[in-house]
Amino acid sequence: ALLCGILVTCPEDPLRYLEGMIMVIIKSGLQNLLWDMCIAPSMKPNIRRLSETYLEQLFELDDQLMTPELMIKACSFYTGHLVKTHFCTWRDIARTNENVALAEKMNRAVTCYNFRLQKSVFHHWHSYMEDQKEKLKNTLLRIQQIIYCHKLSIILTKWRNRARLKSKKKEDELILKHELQLKKWKNRLILKRATAEESNFPEQSSSEGSLVDETLKCDISLLPERAILQIFFYLSLKDVIICGQVNHAWMLMTQLNSLWNAIDFSTVKNVIPDKYILSTLQRWRLNVLRLNFHGCLLRPKTFRSVSHCRNLQELNVSDCPTFTDESMRHISEGCPGVLYLNLSNTTITNRTMRLLPRHFHNLQNLSLAYCRRFTDKGLQYLNLGNGCHKLIYLDLSGCTQISVQGFRYIANSCTGITHLTINDMPTLTDNCVKALVEKCSRITSLVFTGAPHISDCTFKALSTCKLRKIRFEGNKRVTDASFKYIDKNYPNLSHIYMADCKGITDSSLRSLSPLRQLTVLNLANCVRIGDMGLRQFLDGPASIRIRELNLSNCVRLSDASVMKLSERCPNLNYLSLRNCDHLTAQGIGYIVNIFSLVSIDLSGTDISNEGLNVLSKHKKLKELSVSECYRITDVGIQVRSLRSSVKEVLTLALCSDY
């Protein structure tokens, strides 16, 4: 009944309609339920009640065949057909409504999607425009800064030119004044000599008078202060003291403050007494910036007087046998601004090592070479207080008492070291270097001479550092494998000193060829290097910038190497081919084609007078060493002297015929 009511009436609100019809059915009871009970009377179909006679006529049945079962089936079929027809109609209407609702939803979804897409695009466009505005703003600021700097540069240039012009004008006036004074002095001197000759005075008296007049009239104290300082800077401390005793004017010149910024007592250590050093330091204590006591044998009281120099920045007490921890204590308390400290070969102990981080907070250069009385514990003190974290140069040469643990202490306290020197230290091993570079990764310059136990493992450990200069000498454990690490890890290497390393072969030179920044290469006494290795090295980009090349005692090199040098080294200034026996006159001819060459060492080679004559054609050569060249005679030297008058140094030691 509900379904028939919905199908026939098609209400606008089906749910509310069903609720109302259900209430009607409940009130009337289920026993009175009819199939058209939910249909409005005006919409009910006009159906006649079927009678048995009508059914008989409809289905052409006989009276004896009309039974109640057939009647029930007919009604059921008719009812099912009616329900099916109305349900399909309702289903089509419902589907039409769903399609309309779905289309509306799709339209709303498309509208929402387009809105979000526009919003996203606008957001990206807005961000892009903001970035462009920021870039434009930064560009404008940069342009304004450039214009401002350019204006300042123009102003400073004009000011500098004007200042130079005034200074030059003032100097010209002073020079003119001195020239006039000198001219007057010469005229007076000539007049006095003429008067002396006429009066028959002794010649000696006349010369003495002229010297006195010269001293009185030619006064250099009238020169600019800068010129006076430049003159006195060329004099030693002893000469300055003597000049101060000439007269009052010279004494005033020797008392210029800038002249006493640096005092070198090492040049007069055997002449000057402690008393004068005390008085000098007391008088110039506020001006002294640099003191050098190298090798001075002084009393402890004299060293204590250094503490009065509050502005001291550099102190050198190397090789001072009387310098002790007590002297260091007084100096550290009075001179906290020391930047450079050289304690080489002194008797300091762990007490001094404890004072360094406590007082010298800005210490940058420290030399402890050959100081063997401090221990690993002293190195541990470097990390106390503010520590020596600003230290950039450290020299530990000859400190054989330092163990692997000591190098760990150095790494913990001095992480900023860039230059490290460790010479004459046979106890130095690969483990020491590994412990040091664990935290000292800023090392750029490294010097290890006299360390026979260093091997290729050291180069592997140093791969974390950005080395630019390395120096190894007299090491037999360094092989070609080290140079492979150099090729891969040190592209900015500029100086290589690997003298007397017998394990280096031609393969090492091939590994060095890609180094574009290499300017100095020293492979002296590397006897296994030959023409093939040098040719492979010169074929790479390293040959373009090389300025200094030392191949002394590389006995396998021949004229082919010199020819390659003349072709690939346009900037070579210094070349050493000492004791290269296979070098002939043809190779000497190739040397002339190295136009930038300034100095060359051909000692111990087979060069003769003809080769010397060929070298005389080189225009820039200033230094030539041909010691132990037994084929050179006086004739060759004479030709050489005629054709090369501009040369500065010519070494001819042990030339048998000279």
Side-chain angles (χ1 to χ4, degrees):
L2 293 172
L3 185 59
C4 290
I6 290 174
L7 294 175
V8 174
T9 59
C10 295
E12 293 181 358
D13 192 352
L15 293 178
R16 185 173 295 179
Y17 173 79
L18 290 175
E19 289 178 359
M21 291 297 103
I22 290 171
M23 294 300 294
V24 173
I25 292 171
I26 292 173
K27 289 180 181 180
S28 61
L30 295 176
Q31 62 274 12
N32 299 322
L33 181 63
L34 297 175
W35 68 273
D36 57 350
M37 184 176 178
C38 297
I39 301 174
S42 60
M43 301 179 67
K44 288 183 179 181
N46 297 323
I47 303 175
R48 294 183 301 169
R49 190 171 185 82
L50 296 177
S51 62
E52 294 179 359
T53 56
Y54 181 76
L55 291 173
E56 290 175 0
Q57 294 176 4
L58 181 65
F59 294 104
E60 297 179 356
L61 297 174
D62 297 334
D63 295 338
Q64 67 274 14
L65 295 176
M66 189 64 185
T67 60
E69 290 79 4
L70 291 175
M71 190 69 175
I72 292 171
K73 288 182 180 180
C75 291
S76 299
F77 173 77
Y78 179 76
T79 304
H81 178 71
L82 184 64
V83 170
K84 182 178 179 181
T85 302
H86 288 285
F87 180 78
C88 291
T89 303
W90 176 82
R91 186 182 61 184
D92 294 338
I93 294 171
R95 284 182 177 178
T96 303
N97 294 334
E98 287 180 359
N99 292 334
V100 172
L102 183 61
E104 292 179 355
K105 289 182 180 179
M106 285 298 296
N107 291 332
R108 288 197 299 270
V110 171
T111 304
C112 182
Y113 173 76
N114 292 333
F115 175 76
R116 289 186 177 181
L117 183 62
Q118 291 176 359
K119 185 178 179 180
S120 176
V121 172
F122 178 78
H123 177 72
H124 288 294
W125 175 82
H126 180 71
S127 301
Y128 172 76
M129 292 304 298
E130 290 294 330
D131 292 340
Q132 291 297 320
K133 288 181 180 179
E134 188 68 23
K135 290 181 180 179
L136 182 61
K137 184 179 178 180
N138 294 333
T139 304
L140 290 175
L141 290 175
R142 180 62 179 166
I143 292 173
Q144 290 176 359
Q145 291 178 357
I146 293 173
I147 294 173
Y148 180 71
C149 292
H150 182 64
K151 289 182 179 179
L152 286 180
S153 177
I154 294 173
I155 293 171
L156 289 175
T157 302
K158 291 183 178 179
W159 174 82
R160 183 184 60 189
N161 294 336
R162 186 172 296 180
R164 285 180 176 176
L165 184 62
K166 287 185 177 181
S167 177
K168 186 177 180 181
K169 185 177 179 181
K170 187 176 179 180
E171 290 180 357
D172 292 341
E173 290 177 355
L174 287 174
I175 292 173
L176 181 61
K177 183 179 178 181
H178 283 287
E179 288 179 352
L180 293 174
Q181 186 178 3
L182 184 61
K183 190 174 181 180
K184 290 180 181 179
W185 170 76
K186 287 182 178 180
N187 293 333
R188 289 184 181 180
L189 184 60
I190 294 172
L191 183 60
K192 281 195 175 185
R193 286 181 177 176
T195 306
E197 290 177 358
E198 292 177 357
S199 303
N200 294 324
F201 283 114
E203 185 179 355
Q204 183 177 1
S205 300
S206 176
S207 61
E208 288 180 357
S210 64
L211 290 174
V212 172
D213 187 65
E214 179 182 0
T215 305
L216 292 174
K217 299 300 180 180
C218 187
D219 190 2
I220 68 169
S221 61
L222 298 177
L223 292 173
E225 181 177 334
R226 186 176 61 181
I228 296 174
L229 288 174
Q230 191 65 30
I231 293 171
F232 281 97
F233 278 150
Y234 289 106
L235 303 180
S236 64
L237 180 61
K238 181 180 178 181
D239 296 332
V240 172
I241 296 171
I242 294 173
C243 291
Q245 297 174 353
V246 174
N247 54 31
H248 182 71
W250 284 59
M251 183 186 70
L252 293 177
M253 286 188 292
T254 59
Q255 292 180 358
L256 295 174
N257 294 336
S258 301
L259 191 60
W260 298 94
N261 287 341
I263 305 178
D264 187 1
F265 290 109
S266 63
T267 58
V268 291
K269 58 186 176 182
N270 298 324
V271 179
I272 193 170
D274 288 13
K275 181 179 179 180
Y276 181 78
I277 295 177
L278 288 171
S279 62
T280 303
L281 294 178
Q282 181 64 28
R283 181 173 183 178
W284 304 104
R285 60 186 183 276
L286 299 179
N287 302 100
V288 175
L289 300 178
R290 296 178 292 275
L291 280 178
N292 187 0
F293 292 105
H294 174 71
C296 295
L297 185 63
L298 305 177
R299 294 179 298 176
K301 182 180 179 180
T302 306
F303 285 119
R304 287 199 299 269
S305 64
V306 178
S307 61
H308 299 301
C309 304
R310 299 289 180 179
N311 299 321
L312 188 65
Q313 296 181 1
E314 297 183 11
L315 177 62
N316 186 353
V317 291
S318 58
D319 296 324
C320 294
T322 57
F323 188 81
T324 60
D325 295 332
E326 188 66 20
S327 304
M328 192 70 237
R329 183 180 68 81
H330 288 283
I331 295 174
S332 61
E333 292 175 354
C335 308
V338 172
L339 303 176
Y340 171 88
L341 183 60
N342 191 343
L343 301 174
S344 302
N345 199 18
T346 56
T347 58
I348 62 167
T349 63
N350 291 342
R351 290 179 57 192
T352 295
M353 302 298 290
R354 179 178 290 184
L355 295 172
L356 296 180
R358 185 178 299 176
H359 298 282
F360 300 139
H361 301 155
N362 298 318
L363 189 63
Q364 296 180 0
N365 292 51
L366 177 62
S367 178
L368 300 173
Y370 305 101
C371 296
R372 294 189 173 93
R373 294 197 178 186
F374 68 89
T375 62
D376 292 343
K377 189 174 182 180
L379 296 173
Q380 187 179 7
Y381 291 147
L382 294 178
N383 202 22
L384 297 177
N386 294 327
C388 296
H389 300 298
K390 295 184 179 180
L391 199 66
I392 59 175
Y393 175 86
L394 181 62
D395 189 353
L396 297 175
S397 301
C399 298
T400 55
Q401 75 278 13
I402 302 177
S403 64
V404 177
Q405 187 62 36
F407 282 97
R408 288 197 181 96
Y409 291 146
I410 295 174
N412 292 330
S413 56
C414 307
T415 56
I417 294 177
T418 58
H419 304 279
L420 181 63
T421 302
I422 305 178
N423 299 326
D424 299 330
M425 196 167 177
T427 58
L428 187 68
T429 61
D430 296 332
N431 292 330
C432 297
V433 180
K434 290 179 182 178
L436 183 64
V437 300
E438 284 180 358
K439 296 183 179 180
C440 297
S441 58
R442 300 181 184 177
I443 297 177
T444 59
S445 176
L446 197 62
V447 180
F448 288 159
T449 60
H453 298 292
I454 293 295
S455 66
D456 298 333
C457 297
T458 294
F459 284 89
K460 185 177 181 180
L462 290 170
S463 60
T464 58
C465 303
K466 298 180 180 179
L467 291 180
R468 296 193 177 189
K469 295 181 180 181
I470 57 173
R471 182 167 185 169
F472 286 75
E473 292 185 9
N475 194 302
K476 298 181 180 179
R477 302 184 64 185
V478 175
T479 63
D480 296 335
S482 301
F483 286 84
K484 293 181 180 179
Y485 290 116
I486 291 176
D487 177 21
K488 296 178 181 179
N489 301 303
Y490 314 131
N492 296 323
L493 206 60
S494 60
H495 290 66
I496 299 178
Y497 300 87
M498 303 291 284
D500 199 19
C501 294
K502 301 298 191 295
I504 297 176
T505 65
D506 292 341
S507 178
S508 300
L509 285 176
R510 183 170 59 251
S511 301
L512 294 179
S513 61
L515 299 178
R516 297 180 180 273
Q517 305 298 326
L518 189 63
T519 57
V520 178
L521 179 62
N522 188 339
L523 297 176
N525 298 327
C526 297
V527 295
R528 299 177 66 182
I529 293 177
D531 292 334
M532 181 63 68
L534 189 60
R535 182 179 62 81
Q536 293 173 346
F537 169 74
L538 295 176
D539 285 337
S543 62
I544 304 299
R545 296 174 61 92
I546 196 77
R547 292 187 295 103
E548 181 178 340
L549 184 62
N550 190 341
L551 299 173
S552 300
N553 296 317
C554 295
V555 294
R556 297 187 179 183
L557 298 179
S558 64
D559 295 340
S561 298
V562 182
M563 181 183 66
K564 197 68 176 180
L565 285 172
S566 64
E567 295 174 354
R568 298 286 300 171
C569 298
N571 298 313
L572 187 63
N573 299 136
Y574 302 93
L575 176 63
S576 178
L577 298 173
R578 191 183 189 93
N579 295 328
C580 293
D581 301 334
H582 299 289
L583 191 65
T584 64
Q586 184 180 2
I588 302 299
Y590 293 132
I591 294 177
V592 181
N593 297 327
I594 309 177
F595 302 109
S596 60
L597 202 61
V598 176
S599 174
I600 186 169
D601 187 356
L602 297 174
S603 302
T605 60
D606 198 31
I607 186 173
S608 62
N609 294 338
E610 291 76 10
L612 204 61
N613 187 20
V614 172
L615 284 177
S616 66
K617 300 177 183 179
H618 200 290
K619 297 180 179 180
K620 292 186 178 181
L621 198 62
K622 295 181 179 180
E623 297 183 8
L624 173 63
S625 178
V626 287
S627 303
E628 302 180 15
C629 295
Y630 302 109
R631 297 183 62 187
I632 295 178
T633 63
D634 294 343
V635 176
I637 300 300
Q638 290 174 0
V639 173
R640 172 69 179 170
S641 62
L642 289 174
R643 293 196 177 184
S644 49
S645 58
V646 297
K647 304 304 181 284
E648 297 178 358
V649 179
L650 178 62
T651 305
L652 300 165
L654 299 179
C655 291
S656 59
D657 293 333
Y658 176 68

